[in-house]
Protein backbone atom coordinates (compact mmCIF):
# COMPACT_ATOMS: atom_id res chain seq x y z
CA UNK A 1 0.00 0.00 0.00
CA UNK A 2 1.31 3.48 -0.86
CA UNK A 3 1.99 5.95 1.93
CA UNK A 4 0.89 9.58 1.92
CA UNK A 5 0.39 12.60 4.22
CA UNK A 6 -1.29 16.00 4.11
CA UNK A 7 1.15 18.91 3.84
CA UNK A 8 0.81 22.43 5.33
CA UNK A 9 -1.43 23.46 2.37
CA UNK A 10 -3.72 20.48 2.91
CA UNK A 11 -2.39 18.85 -0.28
CA UNK A 12 -2.19 15.08 -0.40
CA UNK A 13 1.47 14.12 -0.86
CA UNK A 14 2.36 10.56 -1.78
CA UNK A 15 5.59 9.28 -0.25
CA UNK A 16 5.73 6.02 -2.24
CA UNK A 17 4.34 4.56 -5.46
CA UNK A 18 3.81 6.05 -8.90
CA UNK A 19 2.30 9.28 -7.54
CA UNK A 20 5.22 9.94 -5.22
CA UNK A 21 6.52 13.02 -7.07
CA UNK A 22 3.19 14.74 -6.94
CA UNK A 23 1.37 17.08 -4.56
CA UNK A 24 -2.38 16.80 -5.04
CA UNK A 25 -4.30 20.02 -4.37
CA UNK A 26 -7.60 19.52 -2.44
CA UNK A 27 -9.73 21.32 -5.09
CA UNK A 28 -7.97 19.41 -7.90
CA UNK A 29 -9.06 16.20 -6.19
CA UNK A 30 -12.50 17.50 -5.28
CA UNK A 31 -13.32 18.40 -8.91
CA UNK A 32 -12.35 14.88 -10.01
CA UNK A 33 -14.89 13.22 -7.76
CA UNK A 34 -16.69 10.49 -9.72
CA UNK A 35 -20.00 8.69 -9.30
CA UNK A 36 -23.39 9.29 -10.86
CA UNK A 37 -24.27 12.11 -8.44
CA UNK A 38 -21.44 14.15 -9.92
CA UNK A 39 -20.89 12.79 -13.43
CA UNK A 40 -23.40 11.88 -16.13
CA UNK A 41 -22.73 8.19 -16.75
CA UNK A 42 -23.62 8.46 -20.46
CA UNK A 43 -21.24 11.21 -21.48
CA UNK A 44 -18.84 11.43 -18.50
CA UNK A 45 -19.52 15.19 -18.20
CA UNK A 46 -19.73 16.98 -14.85
CA UNK A 47 -23.19 17.63 -13.48
CA UNK A 48 -22.00 20.57 -11.37
CA UNK A 49 -19.99 23.70 -12.06
CA UNK A 50 -16.45 23.24 -10.68
CA UNK A 51 -15.82 27.00 -10.61
CA UNK A 52 -18.52 27.26 -7.93
CA UNK A 53 -16.69 24.96 -5.53
CA UNK A 54 -15.64 26.88 -2.41
CA UNK A 55 -11.98 27.83 -2.25
CA UNK A 56 -12.05 26.74 1.38
CA UNK A 57 -12.45 23.07 0.41
CA UNK A 58 -10.13 20.91 2.48
CA UNK A 59 -9.32 17.23 2.70
CA UNK A 60 -10.62 15.92 6.04
CA UNK A 61 -9.39 12.39 5.78
CA UNK A 62 -8.02 9.89 3.31
CA UNK A 63 -7.60 6.17 3.16
CA UNK A 64 -5.26 4.37 0.76
CA UNK A 65 -5.96 0.89 -0.62
CA UNK A 66 -4.00 -1.13 -3.16
CA UNK A 67 -4.93 0.53 -6.49
CA UNK A 68 -7.11 3.38 -5.26
CA UNK A 69 -7.65 5.77 -2.39
CA UNK A 70 -10.66 7.46 -0.83
CA UNK A 71 -10.82 11.08 0.22
CA UNK A 72 -13.45 12.82 2.37
CA UNK A 73 -13.73 16.60 2.06
CA UNK A 74 -14.97 19.22 4.52
CA UNK A 75 -18.13 19.81 2.42
CA UNK A 76 -19.25 16.31 3.36
CA UNK A 77 -18.50 14.74 -0.06
CA UNK A 78 -16.12 11.89 -0.62
CA UNK A 79 -14.59 10.32 -3.68
CA UNK A 80 -12.65 7.30 -4.85
CA UNK A 81 -9.56 7.80 -7.02
CA UNK A 82 -7.75 5.20 -9.07
CA UNK A 83 -4.02 5.76 -8.73
CA UNK A 84 -3.15 4.66 -12.28
CA UNK A 85 -5.85 6.94 -13.75
CA UNK A 86 -4.45 9.98 -11.93
CA UNK A 87 -0.93 9.00 -12.94
CA UNK A 88 -1.97 8.80 -16.61
CA UNK A 89 -3.70 12.16 -16.43
CA UNK A 90 -0.76 13.87 -14.71
CA UNK A 91 1.64 12.43 -17.29
CA UNK A 92 -0.69 13.39 -20.15
CA UNK A 93 -0.80 9.81 -21.34
CA UNK A 94 -2.40 9.42 -24.76
CA UNK A 95 -3.03 5.89 -26.10
CA UNK A 96 -2.46 6.99 -29.70
CA UNK A 97 1.11 6.40 -30.91
CA UNK A 98 3.69 9.17 -30.92
CA UNK A 99 5.06 10.64 -34.15
CA UNK A 100 8.22 8.96 -35.45
CA UNK A 101 10.27 11.01 -37.86
CA UNK A 102 11.57 9.34 -41.01
CA UNK A 103 13.93 10.00 -43.88
CA UNK A 104 14.42 8.19 -47.14
CA UNK A 105 15.43 5.18 -45.01
CA UNK A 106 11.90 3.87 -44.40
CA UNK A 107 12.18 0.09 -44.69
CA UNK A 108 8.78 -0.24 -46.26
CA UNK A 109 6.02 2.17 -47.12
CA UNK A 110 2.85 1.98 -45.00
CA UNK A 111 0.66 0.24 -47.60
CA UNK A 112 -2.69 -1.00 -46.32
CA UNK A 113 -5.16 -3.17 -48.16
CA UNK A 114 -8.50 -1.38 -48.10
CA UNK A 115 -10.48 -4.59 -48.67
CA UNK A 116 -9.13 -5.84 -45.32
CA UNK A 117 -9.44 -2.56 -43.41
CA UNK A 118 -13.06 -2.20 -44.43
CA UNK A 119 -13.93 -5.39 -42.54
CA UNK A 120 -11.52 -5.48 -39.67
CA UNK A 121 -11.19 -3.21 -36.66
CA UNK A 122 -7.68 -4.52 -35.97
CA UNK A 123 -6.54 -3.49 -39.41
CA UNK A 124 -8.23 -0.12 -39.15
CA UNK A 125 -6.31 0.37 -35.89
CA UNK A 126 -3.06 -0.63 -37.64
CA UNK A 127 -3.72 1.80 -40.47
CA UNK A 128 -4.61 4.70 -38.14
CA UNK A 129 -1.60 3.91 -35.93
CA UNK A 130 0.76 4.02 -38.92
CA UNK A 131 -0.82 7.31 -39.88
CA UNK A 132 -0.16 8.73 -36.40
CA UNK A 133 3.44 7.55 -36.39
CA UNK A 134 4.52 8.31 -39.95
CA UNK A 135 2.04 11.01 -40.98
CA UNK A 136 0.87 9.06 -44.04
CA UNK A 137 -0.58 5.80 -45.31
CA UNK A 138 -1.25 4.45 -48.80
CA UNK A 139 -4.38 2.38 -49.32
CA UNK A 140 -4.48 -0.22 -52.07
CA UNK A 141 -7.43 -2.07 -53.54
CA UNK A 142 -9.93 0.71 -53.02
CA UNK A 143 -12.53 1.43 -55.73
CA UNK A 144 -11.41 3.30 -58.85
CA UNK A 145 -14.73 5.13 -59.06
CA UNK A 146 -15.05 8.90 -58.81
CA UNK A 147 -16.38 9.96 -55.40
CA UNK A 148 -14.37 7.28 -53.57
CA UNK A 149 -12.24 9.88 -51.80
CA UNK A 150 -15.30 11.48 -50.20
CA UNK A 151 -16.79 8.12 -49.18
CA UNK A 152 -13.53 7.04 -47.58
CA UNK A 153 -12.97 10.43 -45.90
CA UNK A 154 -16.49 10.34 -44.48
CA UNK A 155 -15.81 6.94 -42.96
CA UNK A 156 -13.20 8.71 -40.80
CA UNK A 157 -14.91 12.03 -40.12
CA UNK A 158 -16.46 15.17 -41.58
CA UNK A 159 -15.00 16.48 -44.83
CA UNK A 160 -13.58 20.00 -44.78
CA UNK A 161 -15.10 21.84 -47.74
CA UNK A 162 -13.25 24.80 -49.24
CA UNK A 163 -13.80 27.21 -52.11
CA UNK A 164 -12.60 24.33 -54.33
CA UNK A 165 -15.69 22.42 -53.16
CA UNK A 166 -16.11 19.32 -51.03
CA UNK A 167 -13.51 17.58 -53.17
CA UNK A 168 -11.13 18.83 -55.85
CA UNK A 169 -10.27 17.21 -59.16
CA UNK A 170 -6.57 17.18 -59.99
CA UNK A 171 -6.14 17.01 -63.76
CA UNK A 172 -4.98 19.42 -66.42
CA UNK A 173 -7.63 22.07 -67.01
CA UNK A 174 -7.73 25.13 -69.25
CA UNK A 175 -7.14 28.40 -67.30
CA UNK A 176 -6.37 26.59 -64.01
CA UNK A 177 -6.81 28.56 -60.77
CA UNK A 178 -3.99 26.47 -59.23
CA UNK A 179 -0.78 25.05 -60.69
CA UNK A 180 -1.85 21.63 -59.38
CA UNK A 181 -4.31 21.58 -62.29
CA UNK A 182 -1.58 21.52 -64.94
CA UNK A 183 1.00 18.95 -65.98
CA UNK A 184 3.79 20.89 -64.27
CA UNK A 185 5.97 19.34 -61.60
CA UNK A 186 4.98 20.37 -58.06
CA UNK A 187 7.93 20.71 -55.72
CA UNK A 188 7.51 19.69 -52.09
CA UNK A 189 4.77 21.84 -50.58
CA UNK A 190 2.06 21.86 -47.97
CA UNK A 191 -1.43 22.66 -49.17
CA UNK A 192 -3.30 25.87 -48.56
CA UNK A 193 -1.20 27.74 -45.98
CA UNK A 194 -3.40 30.74 -46.87
CA UNK A 195 -6.51 29.21 -45.28
CA UNK A 196 -7.83 29.80 -41.77
CA UNK A 197 -7.46 27.19 -40.44
CA UNK A 198 -5.06 25.29 -42.70
CA UNK A 199 -6.57 21.90 -43.68
CA UNK A 200 -5.14 19.22 -41.39
CA UNK A 201 -5.15 16.04 -43.48
CA UNK A 202 -5.18 15.59 -47.24
CA UNK A 203 -6.51 12.58 -49.10
CA UNK A 204 -5.65 11.98 -52.75
CA UNK A 205 -7.41 9.17 -54.58
CA UNK A 206 -6.02 7.98 -57.89
CA UNK A 207 -8.64 7.36 -60.57
CA UNK A 208 -6.19 7.22 -63.44
CA UNK A 209 -2.43 7.67 -63.79
CA UNK A 210 -1.70 6.64 -67.35
CA UNK A 211 0.45 9.59 -68.38
CA UNK A 212 4.24 9.53 -68.52
CA UNK A 213 5.53 11.10 -65.31
CA UNK A 214 3.31 12.16 -62.43
CA UNK A 215 5.06 10.16 -59.70
CA UNK A 216 4.41 11.23 -56.11
CA UNK A 217 6.84 12.51 -53.50
CA UNK A 218 6.60 12.95 -49.74
CA UNK A 219 8.95 14.47 -47.18
CA UNK A 220 8.68 14.41 -43.40
CA UNK A 221 8.83 18.07 -42.39
CA UNK A 222 9.31 17.05 -38.78
CA UNK A 223 12.49 15.12 -39.67
CA UNK A 224 13.84 18.14 -41.54
CA UNK A 225 13.01 20.37 -38.58
CA UNK A 226 14.97 18.04 -36.28
CA UNK A 227 17.90 18.05 -38.71
CA UNK A 228 17.97 21.85 -38.98
CA UNK A 229 17.81 22.24 -35.22
CA UNK A 230 20.83 19.97 -34.85
CA UNK A 231 22.97 21.15 -37.74
CA UNK A 232 21.88 24.70 -38.62
CA UNK A 233 20.71 26.40 -35.43
CA UNK A 234 20.58 30.00 -36.81
CA UNK A 235 18.50 28.82 -39.79
CA UNK A 236 16.20 26.90 -37.48
CA UNK A 237 15.79 29.99 -35.32
CA UNK A 238 14.91 32.41 -38.10
CA UNK A 239 12.57 29.97 -39.83
CA UNK A 240 10.72 29.26 -36.60
CA UNK A 241 10.37 32.95 -35.67
CA UNK A 242 9.54 34.76 -38.95
CA UNK A 243 5.90 35.01 -39.96
CA UNK A 244 5.25 34.69 -43.69
CA UNK A 245 2.28 36.03 -45.62
CA UNK A 246 0.50 33.44 -47.78
CA UNK A 247 -2.05 34.48 -50.38
CA UNK A 248 -4.37 32.75 -52.86
CA UNK A 249 -6.18 34.78 -55.50
CA UNK A 250 -8.79 33.86 -58.05
CA UNK A 251 -11.78 35.62 -59.57
CA UNK A 252 -14.06 34.82 -56.64
CA UNK A 253 -11.90 35.10 -53.55
CA UNK A 254 -8.65 36.35 -52.01
CA UNK A 255 -7.53 34.18 -49.10
CA UNK A 256 -4.71 35.32 -46.81
CA UNK A 257 -3.03 34.02 -43.69
CA UNK A 258 0.25 34.49 -41.83
CA UNK A 259 2.43 31.83 -40.24
CA UNK A 260 5.96 30.56 -39.74
CA UNK A 261 7.58 28.04 -42.09
CA UNK A 262 8.39 26.05 -38.95
CA UNK A 263 5.96 26.45 -36.06
CA UNK A 264 6.98 25.26 -32.60
CA UNK A 265 5.17 25.41 -29.28
CA UNK A 266 6.38 27.41 -26.27
CA UNK A 267 8.62 24.50 -25.27
CA UNK A 268 10.17 24.26 -28.75
CA UNK A 269 8.20 21.16 -29.72
CA UNK A 270 7.18 20.68 -33.36
CA UNK A 271 3.65 21.87 -34.19
CA UNK A 272 3.54 22.30 -37.95
CA UNK A 273 5.30 23.38 -41.09
CA UNK A 274 4.10 25.52 -43.96
CA UNK A 275 5.79 25.58 -47.33
CA UNK A 276 4.46 26.74 -50.65
CA UNK A 277 6.93 28.65 -52.76
CA UNK A 278 4.14 29.52 -55.18
CA UNK A 279 2.33 31.54 -52.56
CA UNK A 280 4.71 32.82 -49.88
CA UNK A 281 5.70 36.46 -49.22
CA UNK A 282 8.20 37.26 -46.48
CA UNK A 283 7.70 40.75 -44.99
CA UNK A 284 10.32 43.46 -45.57
CA UNK A 285 12.61 42.89 -42.59
CA UNK A 286 15.89 44.69 -41.96
CA UNK A 287 18.77 43.67 -44.21
CA UNK A 288 20.62 41.23 -41.89
CA UNK A 289 17.50 39.36 -40.89
CA UNK A 290 16.17 39.11 -44.39
CA UNK A 291 19.53 37.91 -45.74
CA UNK A 292 19.63 35.19 -43.08
CA UNK A 293 16.03 34.26 -43.81
CA UNK A 294 16.77 33.82 -47.53
CA UNK A 295 19.81 31.68 -46.79
CA UNK A 296 17.74 29.58 -44.39
CA UNK A 297 14.83 29.18 -46.78
CA UNK A 298 17.21 28.05 -49.54
CA UNK A 299 18.65 25.41 -47.20
CA UNK A 300 15.16 24.34 -46.19
CA UNK A 301 14.13 24.00 -49.84
CA UNK A 302 17.26 21.95 -50.60
CA UNK A 303 16.56 19.61 -47.70
CA UNK A 304 12.93 19.21 -48.73
CA UNK A 305 14.11 18.29 -52.25
CA UNK A 306 17.02 16.10 -51.14
CA UNK A 307 17.41 12.38 -51.71
CA UNK A 308 18.13 12.06 -47.99
CA UNK A 309 14.62 13.12 -46.98
CA UNK A 310 12.35 12.58 -49.99
CA UNK A 311 10.53 9.37 -50.81
CA UNK A 312 9.05 8.60 -54.25
CA UNK A 313 6.34 6.22 -55.31
CA UNK A 314 3.69 5.98 -57.95
CA UNK A 315 -0.03 6.05 -57.34
CA UNK A 316 -2.07 3.91 -59.67
CA UNK A 317 -5.82 3.63 -60.14
CA UNK A 318 -7.45 2.24 -57.00
CA UNK A 319 -4.88 3.69 -54.59
CA UNK A 320 -5.48 6.41 -52.02
CA UNK A 321 -2.82 8.45 -50.26
CA UNK A 322 -3.68 10.09 -46.93
CA UNK A 323 -1.15 12.42 -45.29
CA UNK A 324 -0.77 14.97 -42.51
CA UNK A 325 -0.69 18.36 -44.22
CA UNK A 326 0.73 20.01 -41.08
CA UNK A 327 3.71 17.67 -41.00
CA UNK A 328 4.49 16.23 -44.46
CA UNK A 329 5.24 17.97 -47.72
CA UNK A 330 4.01 16.43 -50.93
CA UNK A 331 4.75 16.92 -54.59
CA UNK A 332 4.77 15.22 -57.97
CA UNK A 333 6.97 15.01 -61.01
CA UNK A 334 5.81 16.65 -64.23
CA UNK A 335 3.62 14.60 -66.54
CA UNK A 336 2.85 14.78 -70.19
CA UNK A 337 -0.90 14.88 -70.68
CA UNK A 338 -0.50 13.78 -74.32
CA UNK A 339 0.78 10.37 -73.19
CA UNK A 340 -2.26 9.34 -71.14
CA UNK A 341 -4.92 10.52 -68.70
CA UNK A 342 -4.06 11.41 -65.11
CA UNK A 343 -6.87 12.13 -62.66
CA UNK A 344 -6.75 12.35 -58.88
CA UNK A 345 -9.56 13.44 -56.58
CA UNK A 346 -8.65 15.04 -53.29
CA UNK A 347 -10.29 16.33 -50.15
CA UNK A 348 -9.42 17.34 -46.61
CA UNK A 349 -10.37 16.14 -43.15
CA UNK A 350 -9.07 17.27 -39.76
CA UNK A 351 -6.79 15.63 -37.17
CA UNK A 352 -9.69 15.36 -34.73
CA UNK A 353 -11.14 12.61 -36.89
CA UNK A 354 -8.15 10.27 -37.17
CA UNK A 355 -6.90 10.88 -33.62
CA UNK A 356 -10.36 10.70 -32.06
CA UNK A 357 -11.34 7.55 -33.91
CA UNK A 358 -8.11 5.77 -33.02
CA UNK A 359 -8.39 6.77 -29.34
CA UNK A 360 -11.93 5.38 -29.28
CA UNK A 361 -10.92 2.13 -31.01
CA UNK A 362 -7.96 1.61 -28.68
CA UNK A 363 -10.02 2.25 -25.55
CA UNK A 364 -12.77 -0.13 -26.65
CA UNK A 365 -10.12 -2.70 -27.31
C1 LIG B 1 -2.43 19.04 -55.04
C2 LIG B 1 -1.25 18.24 -55.33
C3 LIG B 1 -0.37 16.25 -56.27
C4 LIG B 1 -0.51 15.40 -57.49
O1 LIG B 1 -3.43 18.90 -55.75
O2 LIG B 1 -2.39 19.81 -54.06
O3 LIG B 1 -0.25 18.49 -54.73
O4 LIG B 1 0.04 14.29 -57.46
N1 LIG B 1 -1.37 17.25 -56.21
O5 LIG B 1 -1.09 15.83 -58.48
ZN1 LIG C 1 -0.74 19.90 -53.02
Amino acid sequence: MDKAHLDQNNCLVFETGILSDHTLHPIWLRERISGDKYIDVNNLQRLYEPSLLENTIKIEKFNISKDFFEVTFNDGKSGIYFIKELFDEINEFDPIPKKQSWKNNLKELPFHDYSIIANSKDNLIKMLSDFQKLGFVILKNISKEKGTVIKFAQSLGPVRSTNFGEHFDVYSKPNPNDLAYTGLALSAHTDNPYRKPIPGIQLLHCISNEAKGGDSTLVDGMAVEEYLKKHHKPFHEILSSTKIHFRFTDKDIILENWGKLIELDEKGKFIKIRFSGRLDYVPLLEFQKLSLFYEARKKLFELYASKEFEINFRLSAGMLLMFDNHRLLHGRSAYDQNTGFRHLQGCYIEHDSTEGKLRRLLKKH
Side-chain angles (χ1 to χ4, degrees), residues 168 170 180-181 186 189 191 202 204 216 330-332 342 344:
F168 46 89
V170 188
Y181 310 143
L186 298 177
H189 65 281
D191 264 21
Q202 179 168 177
L204 282 173
S216 301
H330 63 288
R332 68 155 188 245
R342 185 180 192 272
L344 308 184

Side-chain angles (χ1 to χ4, degrees), residues 84-101:
K84 177 69 169 63
E85 268 179 26
L86 292 189
F87 176 82
D88 284 349
E89 182 183 349
I90 292 167
N91 290 287
E92 297 176 12
F93 171 75
D94 195 342
I96 62 176
K98 297 213 176 341
K99 293 176 180 165
Q100 299 171 359
S101 53

